[in-house]
């Protein structure tokens, strides 16, 4: 909770639920990441929170942008940055969207399959392309699984193929899984990337860029290592595996940049029990899985939830307001709220600046998408 957000909530009394983003914290997070990995070009992953004010602040600080659709490309361009500061990092793109990105000046594209490489070569001739490799996603609270990337043997074949087409094989990317709590997880991916660089070089194709993805964490209920630990671990891996030939490095932070900068204010709609002797109270909020808290799926992301009351903490289950039984945020995780909590109370859901507004449904049960205030 920052003083600025506290004052805004006290003075403006906005309708709930709402997300309040402190832009100073976003700027701090940018500087912290830059200090931790000074050699890396920063491409903010727009999907984490695309509020125009946030994109503007980051653009001014020198950030580039990782986008996944034509709409995100347009949001990034609307801040005034030029198209050469954008990458189209989604490995799953319609050919018509690649053509639209190309028309806007985007010249950097991700792929992880032969078919996607073919689409890029045809719709974005002359562009630089990078191949995404698979990672295990181990130790990440929000792993990205096997949906993205290919194995290194296939990546080698694809990058050598790219050299024969009308595109420039530029480099390699990976993502170690979001909310990655282990700074050591970059090492094996960097090692595999270095192997790929060498193999391609031997085959006459020189790669020049390594994109080490996002994954840097936000502090939720559990402590996480600081950015310096990630920076040190990554730098050591780069030196160990690339020696004195470290390529240009790109990072694509999402969660780290905006997570800690936002607080959702929510209202308690109902407090109830399922039987007279129920040990747990059920606390129903005016926000749930469909209103922006989708990352509570399997209770993966556990936001700190804070009440201003001072009663003894008692165990609670916490659920959303919709008529869908999946709309329960926390039932297994040990959440406690003050015994004197009342219907109508406001609660703060902290560290909620990433992956909330973009995950809110348009009107499930008629509930509006999550409103954002950037201050
Ligand atoms: C979502 C995404 C990111 C951002 O990931 P975080 O874990 O939020 O940092 C970076 N790169 C790509 C390709 C992504 O899809």
């Amino acid at each position: 909770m920052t003083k600025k957000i506290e004052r805004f909530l006290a003075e403006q009394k906005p309708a709930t639920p709402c997300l309040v983003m402190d832009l100073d914290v976003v700027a701090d997070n940018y500087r912290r990441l830059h200090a931790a990995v000074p050699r890396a070009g920063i491409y903010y992953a727009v999907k984490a929170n695309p509020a125009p004010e946030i994109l503007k602040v980051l653009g001014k600080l020198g950030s580039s942008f990782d986008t996944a659709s034509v709409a995100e490309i347009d949001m990034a361009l609307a801040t005034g940055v030029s198209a050469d500061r954008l990458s189209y990092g989604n490995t799953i793109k319609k050919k018509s969207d690649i053509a639209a990105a190309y028309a806007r000046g985007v010249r950097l594209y991700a792929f992880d399959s032969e078919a996607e490489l073919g689409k890029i070569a045809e719709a974005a001739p002359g562009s630089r392309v990078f191949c995404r490799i698979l990672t295990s996603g181990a130790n990440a609270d929000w792993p990205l699984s096997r949906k993205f990337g290919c194995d290194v043997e296939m990546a080698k074949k694809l990058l050598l193929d790219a050299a024969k087409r009308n595109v420039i094989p530029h480099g390699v990317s990976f993502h170690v899984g979001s909310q990655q709590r282990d700074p050591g997880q970059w090492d094996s991916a960097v090692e595999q990337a270095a192997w790929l660089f060498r193999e391609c070089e031997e085959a006459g194709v020189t790669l020049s860029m390594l994109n080490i993805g996002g994954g840097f964490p936000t502090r939720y209920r559990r402590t996480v290592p600081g950015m310096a630990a990630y920076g040190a671990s990554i730098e050591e891996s780069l030196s160990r595996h690339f020696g004195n030939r470290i390529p240009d490095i790109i990072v694509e932070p999402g969660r780290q940049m905006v997570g800690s900068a936002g607080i959702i204010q929510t209202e308690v709609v109902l407090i109830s029990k399922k039987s007279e002797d129920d040990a747990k109270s059920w606390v129903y909020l005016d926000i749930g899985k469909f209103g922006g808290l989708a990352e509570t799926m399997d209770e993966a992301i556990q936001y700190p939830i804070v009440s201003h009351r001072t009663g003894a903490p008692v165990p609670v289950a916490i659920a959303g307001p919709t008529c869908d039984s999946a709309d329960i945020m926390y039932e297994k995780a040990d959440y406690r709220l003050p015994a004197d909590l009342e219907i109508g109370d406001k609660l703060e859901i902290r560290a909620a600046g990433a992956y909330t507004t973009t995950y809110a449904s348009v009107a499930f049960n008629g509930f509006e998408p999550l409103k954002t205030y950037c201050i």
Side-chain angles (χ1 to χ4, degrees), residues 48-88:
N49 191 325
E53 297 90 337
I54 294 171
L55 301 184
K56 189 136 235 163
V57 164
L58 291 173
K60 275 215 185 98
L61 286 166
S63 187
S64 299
F65 297 96
D66 176 53
T67 61
S69 66
V70 177
E72 283 190 353
I73 289 169
D74 285 340
M75 291 180 213
L77 290 175
T79 67
V81 305
S82 53
D84 61 0
R85 276 165 66 183
L86 305 191
S87 78
Y88 199 163

Side-chain angles (χ1 to χ4, degrees), residues 43 45 47-48 66 89-90 132 144 148 174-175 177-180 211 213-216 252-256 354-355:
Y43 283 65
K47 72 177 188 288
D66 176 53
N90 193 343
R132 180 157 169 180
L144 301 173
F148 307 105
F174 60 80
H175 194 301
S178 200
Q179 188 68 7
Q180 175 54 260
N211 176 339
F216 308 103
E252 296 174 334
R255 191 183 302 279
Q256 176 272 342
Y355 302 116

Side-chain angles (χ1 to χ4, degrees), residues 30-51:
Y30 180 91
R31 291 189 195 101
R32 208 162 285 160
L33 177 65
H34 177 64
V37 273
R39 68 162 71 241
I42 297 177
Y43 283 65
Y44 172 61
V46 172
K47 72 177 188 288
N49 191 325

Side-chain angles (χ1 to χ4, degrees), residues 55-327:
L55 301 184
K56 189 136 235 163
V57 164
L58 291 173
K60 275 215 185 98
L61 286 166
S63 187
S64 299
F65 297 96
D66 176 53
T67 61
S69 66
V70 177
E72 283 190 353
I73 289 169
D74 285 340
M75 291 180 213
L77 290 175
T79 67
V81 305
S82 53
D84 61 0
R85 276 165 66 183
L86 305 191
S87 78
Y88 199 163
N90 193 343
T91 52
I92 306 152
K93 304 176 282 298
K94 288 181 182 170
K95 197 170 162 187
S96 56
D97 287 342
I98 298 170
Y102 188 73
R104 287 160 171 74
V106 177
R107 295 290 182 272
L108 184 58
Y109 296 85
F111 71 101
D112 63 5
S113 66
E114 191 174 348
E116 191 71 14
L117 176 61
K119 285 190 249 174
I120 299 167
E122 284 170 25
S127 293
R128 291 171 298 162
V129 295
F130 56 94
C131 187
R132 180 157 169 180
I133 56 175
L134 275 169
T135 63
S136 73
N139 291 322
D141 285 341
W142 195 258
L144 301 173
S145 77
R146 290 180 56 80
K147 179 170 174 182
F148 307 105
C150 60
D151 75 18
V152 283
E153 293 291 346
M154 181 178 274
K156 175 184 166 187
K157 182 181 163 297
L158 292 174
L159 285 162
L160 297 181
D161 271 3
K164 298 185 199 123
R165 297 184 188 236
N166 196 12
V167 287
I168 302 162
H170 188 49
V172 175
S173 76
F174 60 80
H175 194 301
V176 293
S178 200
Q179 188 68 7
Q180 175 54 260
R181 286 180 285 107
D182 174 11
Q185 286 295 316
W186 273 259
D187 189 63
S188 74
V190 170
E191 182 177 18
Q192 291 184 58
W195 178 86
L196 261 174
F197 272 65
R198 284 194 304 274
E199 290 284 310
C200 287
E201 184 79 48
E202 272 172 32
V205 172
T206 302
L207 303 176
S208 54
M209 184 277 287
L210 175 61
N211 176 339
I212 61 173
F216 308 103
T218 281
R219 163 94 207 255
Y220 295 108
R221 291 211 300 179
R222 302 166 79 170
T223 57
V224 291
M227 273 313 302
Y230 288 84
S233 176
I234 287 165
E235 188 62 27
E236 196 202 58
S237 293
L238 290 172
S239 303
R240 178 144 27 100
H241 301 303
F242 283 94
N244 59 3
R245 297 192 60 201
I246 297 176
D248 294 340
I249 301 296
I250 281 179
V251 282
E252 296 174 334
R255 191 183 302 279
Q256 176 272 342
M257 197 68 82
V258 288
S260 64
I263 281 191
I264 288 173
Q265 192 174 56
T266 175
E267 182 180 314
V268 176
V269 180
L270 178 68
I271 305 172
S272 66
K273 293 201 175 217
K274 300 296 167 193
S275 63
E276 291 296 342
D277 55 359
D278 201 346
K280 252 189 190 181
S281 292
W282 282 71
V283 175
Y284 299 90
L285 308 179
D286 63 0
I287 187 171
K289 275 210 163 69
F290 302 97
L293 303 179
E295 287 197 319
T296 59
M297 189 155 48
D298 299 326
E299 314 199 10
I301 297 295
Q302 299 189 357
Y303 300 98
I305 300 183
V306 178
S307 160
H308 290 291
R309 292 200 185 263
T310 53
V314 294
V316 292
I318 302 176
T322 67
C323 296
D324 191 310
S325 58
D327 193 10

